Amino acid sequence: MGKPGNLRVFIDGFIADTLERCTRCGRCYEACPMTPYAEHLKEAAAPAVVSDLLEVLRGRAASEQALDWIRVCTQSASCIDACPEGINAMLMLRVGRIAALGSLGGARRLEGRDDPLFFRRITAFAETQLTPDELARWRR
Ligand code: SF4
Protein backbone atom coordinates (compact mmCIF):
# COMPACT_ATOMS: atom_id res chain seq x y z
CA MET A 1 0.00 0.00 0.00
CA GLY A 2 1.30 3.48 -0.88
CA LYS A 3 2.04 6.28 1.53
CA PRO A 4 -1.11 8.23 2.44
CA GLY A 5 -1.37 11.65 0.78
CA ASN A 6 -1.04 14.88 2.69
CA LEU A 7 -4.80 15.42 2.82
CA ARG A 8 -5.38 12.00 4.39
CA VAL A 9 -2.58 12.63 6.88
CA PHE A 10 -4.14 15.99 7.71
CA ILE A 11 -7.61 14.46 8.16
CA ASP A 12 -6.26 11.66 10.37
CA GLY A 13 -4.40 14.24 12.45
CA PHE A 14 -7.46 16.44 12.71
CA ILE A 15 -9.56 13.47 13.87
CA ALA A 16 -7.00 12.42 16.48
CA ASP A 17 -6.68 15.99 17.78
CA THR A 18 -10.46 16.45 17.92
CA LEU A 19 -11.01 13.16 19.75
CA GLU A 20 -8.38 14.13 22.28
CA ARG A 21 -9.48 17.70 22.92
CA CYS A 22 -13.26 17.73 22.48
CA THR A 23 -14.97 17.78 25.88
CA ARG A 24 -18.42 17.08 24.35
CA CYS A 25 -19.74 20.28 25.90
CA GLY A 26 -22.13 20.67 22.98
CA ARG A 27 -21.65 24.41 22.46
CA CYS A 28 -20.90 23.94 18.76
CA TYR A 29 -24.18 22.08 18.37
CA GLU A 30 -26.10 24.71 20.34
CA ALA A 31 -24.67 27.45 18.08
CA CYS A 32 -25.77 25.65 14.90
CA PRO A 33 -28.68 27.47 13.21
CA MET A 34 -29.64 24.41 11.16
CA THR A 35 -30.61 21.87 13.83
CA PRO A 36 -34.31 22.92 13.90
CA TYR A 37 -34.50 21.75 10.29
CA ALA A 38 -33.32 18.21 11.01
CA GLU A 39 -35.77 15.36 11.36
CA HIS A 40 -34.04 13.53 14.22
CA LEU A 41 -32.76 16.47 16.25
CA LYS A 42 -35.98 17.83 17.75
CA GLU A 43 -35.40 16.38 21.23
CA ALA A 44 -31.67 15.86 20.93
CA ALA A 45 -29.26 16.69 23.74
CA ALA A 46 -26.24 18.59 22.44
CA PRO A 47 -23.53 16.53 24.22
CA ALA A 48 -25.11 13.29 22.98
CA VAL A 49 -25.17 14.44 19.36
CA VAL A 50 -21.53 15.56 19.57
CA SER A 51 -20.57 12.21 21.13
CA ASP A 52 -22.32 10.41 18.28
CA LEU A 53 -20.52 12.57 15.73
CA LEU A 54 -17.20 11.65 17.34
CA GLU A 55 -18.15 7.99 16.87
CA VAL A 56 -18.52 8.74 13.15
CA LEU A 57 -15.03 10.26 13.16
CA ARG A 58 -13.80 7.04 14.79
CA GLY A 59 -15.32 5.06 11.92
CA ARG A 60 -17.94 3.46 14.14
CA ALA A 61 -21.69 3.19 13.63
CA ALA A 62 -23.43 6.50 13.05
CA SER A 63 -26.64 7.41 14.87
CA GLU A 64 -29.46 9.07 12.95
CA GLN A 65 -28.86 12.16 15.06
CA ALA A 66 -25.23 12.41 14.01
CA LEU A 67 -26.13 11.80 10.37
CA ASP A 68 -28.85 14.43 10.53
CA TRP A 69 -26.48 17.04 11.90
CA ILE A 70 -24.05 16.22 9.09
CA ARG A 71 -26.86 16.40 6.52
CA VAL A 72 -28.19 19.81 7.54
CA CYS A 73 -24.81 21.54 7.91
CA THR A 74 -24.65 24.50 5.54
CA GLN A 75 -21.21 25.64 6.75
CA SER A 76 -22.55 28.72 8.46
CA ALA A 77 -19.41 28.63 10.63
CA SER A 78 -21.42 29.65 13.71
CA CYS A 79 -19.96 26.64 15.53
CA ILE A 80 -16.34 27.68 15.10
CA ASP A 81 -16.36 30.64 17.48
CA ALA A 82 -18.55 28.72 19.93
CA CYS A 83 -15.91 26.11 20.73
CA PRO A 84 -13.98 26.93 23.93
CA GLU A 85 -11.27 24.45 22.94
CA GLY A 86 -10.49 26.11 19.63
CA ILE A 87 -11.62 23.11 17.59
CA ASN A 88 -12.84 23.92 14.08
CA ALA A 89 -16.26 22.34 14.59
CA MET A 90 -17.33 23.11 11.02
CA LEU A 91 -14.39 21.07 9.78
CA MET A 92 -15.39 18.39 12.30
CA LEU A 93 -18.78 18.18 10.58
CA ARG A 94 -17.13 18.16 7.14
CA VAL A 95 -14.77 15.35 8.11
CA GLY A 96 -17.76 13.55 9.62
CA ARG A 97 -19.43 13.77 6.24
CA ILE A 98 -16.36 12.34 4.52
CA ALA A 99 -16.29 9.47 7.04
CA ALA A 100 -20.05 8.84 6.73
CA LEU A 101 -19.72 8.66 2.96
CA GLY A 102 -17.21 5.82 3.47
CA SER A 103 -14.38 7.88 1.99
CA LEU A 104 -12.03 7.13 4.90
CA GLY A 105 -12.34 3.38 4.49
CA GLY A 106 -15.27 2.62 6.81
CA ALA A 107 -18.81 1.64 5.89
CA ARG A 108 -20.87 4.08 3.85
CA ARG A 109 -23.63 5.44 6.08
CA LEU A 110 -24.74 8.46 4.10
CA GLU A 111 -26.00 8.64 0.56
CA GLY A 112 -24.13 10.96 -1.70
CA ARG A 113 -23.31 11.25 -5.35
CA ASP A 114 -20.26 9.37 -6.50
CA ASP A 115 -18.06 12.27 -7.30
CA PRO A 116 -14.59 11.89 -8.81
CA LEU A 117 -13.88 15.52 -7.87
CA PHE A 118 -14.81 14.95 -4.24
CA PHE A 119 -11.32 15.18 -2.80
CA ARG A 120 -10.37 18.05 -5.10
CA ARG A 121 -13.32 19.98 -3.71
CA ILE A 122 -12.33 19.06 -0.17
CA THR A 123 -8.81 20.31 -0.88
CA ALA A 124 -10.14 23.65 -2.09
CA PHE A 125 -12.46 23.80 0.90
CA ALA A 126 -9.69 22.97 3.36
CA GLU A 127 -7.44 25.68 1.97
CA THR A 128 -10.09 28.27 2.75
CA GLN A 129 -10.72 26.96 6.28
CA LEU A 130 -7.29 26.33 7.72
CA THR A 131 -5.32 28.71 9.84
CA PRO A 132 -1.89 29.66 8.40
CA ASP A 133 -0.23 27.19 10.79
CA GLU A 134 -2.60 24.36 9.83
CA LEU A 135 -2.04 25.12 6.16
CA ALA A 136 1.73 25.05 6.60
CA ARG A 137 1.53 21.66 8.40
CA TRP A 138 -0.82 20.27 5.77
CA ARG A 139 1.48 21.22 2.88
CA ARG A 140 4.63 19.87 4.54
S1 SF4 B 1 -17.77 23.19 21.24
FE1 SF4 B 1 -15.74 22.25 20.89
S2 SF4 B 1 -15.30 21.08 22.80
FE2 SF4 B 1 -17.52 21.58 22.80
S3 SF4 B 1 -18.51 19.77 21.84
FE3 SF4 B 1 -18.12 21.24 20.16
S4 SF4 B 1 -16.08 20.67 19.31
FE4 SF4 B 1 -16.29 19.65 21.34
Side-chain angles (χ1 to χ4, degrees):
M1 198 159 71
K3 202 174 155 205
N6 279 356
L7 180 56
R8 182 57 196 259
V9 170
F10 172 79
I11 288 174
D12 288 345
F14 177 81
I15 290 173
D17 181 62
T18 300
L19 292 175
E20 187 181 319
R21 292 198 296 125
C22 176
T23 62
R24 294 127 176 100
C25 69
R27 289 192 202 162
C28 53
Y29 177 87
E30 288 163 359
C32 177
M34 295 307 296
T35 56
Y37 304 99
E39 186 185 347
H40 300 281
L41 298 178
K42 307 279 185 241
E43 308 289 332
V49 181
V50 173
S51 290
D52 286 357
L53 182 71
L54 296 180
E55 290 298 289
V56 178
L57 296 188
R58 286 190 174 95
R60 296 184 187 155
S63 71
E64 279 306 320
Q65 291 186 341
L67 292 178
D68 253 10
W69 194 22
I70 291 168
R71 277 190 201 103
V72 297
C73 174
T74 57
Q75 298 170 25
S76 71
S78 309
C79 53
I80 297 176
D81 287 344
C83 178
E85 306 301 325
I87 295 168
N88 184 333
M90 188 172 74
L91 190 54
M92 180 173 76
L93 266 290
R94 197 69 176 120
V95 171
R97 179 172 173 78
I98 295 169
L101 284 167
S103 300
L104 298 182
R108 186 185 185 109
R109 304 177 195 285
L110 199 65
E111 290 307 312
R113 287 196 312 267
D114 289 325
D115 183 354
L117 297 178
F118 187 68
F119 272 98
R120 204 177 299 166
R121 287 181 187 157
I122 294 297
T123 301
F125 164 78
E127 286 186 345
T128 65
Q129 301 302 316
L130 302 181
T131 65
D133 282 348
E134 287 172 334
L135 201 53
R137 270 189 277 134
W138 181 34
R139 286 178 168 161
R140 252 200 321 238

